[in-house]
Amino acid sequence: MSKKIALKFVISLFLLLLASPVFALKPVVVWDYEGPDDLFIVDCGDYDVRTSSWAKITITDYLDKYGEYVRTHVLFKISDAIYYNSENPEIYIMNKGAGNGENESQWWDADGNGSSSGMPFRIMLPKIGKLFMVAGHAVWEGGERVSRSGLEIFPEDGTGSKLCEALAP
């Protein structure tokens, strides 16, 4: 009787291992960028507010043991960010904070289900304080955000107008 139980245990263990992610293919890095990044933020009429930073962005696809797509991981690491007046780059605000870096990790599947965690973006203005900040965790289903936890700070009259005011000549 004990040999029968041992045989059932071994067969069950073998079947569990077959279904295990241990048999998935190695993740594939589909895009890996590290370097300068410069983005438009807001139109202030006579000038634009832009942000310049050092970016590290990695996109990795995960496949099952048959080579079929399972999910994507996106990792953003932004550091040394400044927000500046496009017509007079000497007028700028350096993004200061915990390590002067924003980090966000996202997981997505083919149906638009996923999650994001981290502090992807923040702006601190002298004498104003935290102007814009998103930090925490969000869950997405079918491309729509269904839940959010953490901190979100937005000014009542808009982030853009406060940035324009802070970076005016």
Side-chain angles (χ1 to χ4, degrees):
M1 187 76 165
S2 65
K3 285 184 181 181
K4 218 178 204 184
I5 293 173
L7 181 60
K8 285 182 182 180
F9 176 75
V10 169
I11 289 172
S12 297
L13 186 60
F14 178 72
L15 291 174
L16 282 173
L17 284 175
L18 282 178
S20 167
V22 169
F23 292 100
L25 296 178
K26 184 178 178 182
V28 178
V29 174
V30 294
W31 197 59
D32 193 23
Y33 171 78
E34 183 168 7
D37 194 25
D38 193 88
L39 301 171
F40 167 83
I41 300 294
V42 65
D43 180 350
C44 298
D46 295 335
Y47 62 94
D48 294 334
V49 172
R50 299 190 63 87
T51 182
S52 178
S53 63
W54 188 261
K56 168 86 171 120
I57 305 167
T58 304
I59 302 174
T60 306
D61 282 349
Y62 289 79
L63 311 172
D64 65 15
K65 66 182 178 180
Y66 304 108
E68 298 293 321
Y69 172 81
V70 175
R71 63 185 177 173
T72 297
H73 180 239
V74 183
L75 181 63
F76 300 93
K77 292 183 178 184
I78 308 296
S79 60
D80 302 326
I82 62 167
Y83 300 88
Y84 67 95
N85 178 318
S86 63
E87 295 301 311
N88 187 351
E90 292 180 10
I91 301 174
Y92 68 91
I93 299 166
M94 181 160 222
N95 186 10
K96 295 183 180 178
N100 184 24
E102 290 86 19
N103 296 302
E104 182 177 22
S105 179
Q106 300 178 350
W107 290 96
W108 298 98
D109 68 15
D111 297 324
N113 300 319
S115 66
S116 60
S117 298
M119 185 184 308
F121 199 64
R122 69 180 180 271
I123 301 172
M124 304 276 288
L125 292 179
K127 299 181 185 174
I128 294 175
K130 296 173 186 163
L131 176 63
F132 177 87
M133 179 182 280
V134 178
H137 182 78
V139 175
W140 303 78
E141 290 178 5
E144 298 290 323
R145 185 168 83 175
V146 295
S147 71
R148 174 106 179 85
S149 62
L151 178 66
E152 289 187 327
I153 296 172
F154 300 96
E156 290 179 19
D157 63 345
T159 301
S161 64
K162 292 285 188 185
L163 277 173
C164 290
E165 180 184 325
L167 296 170

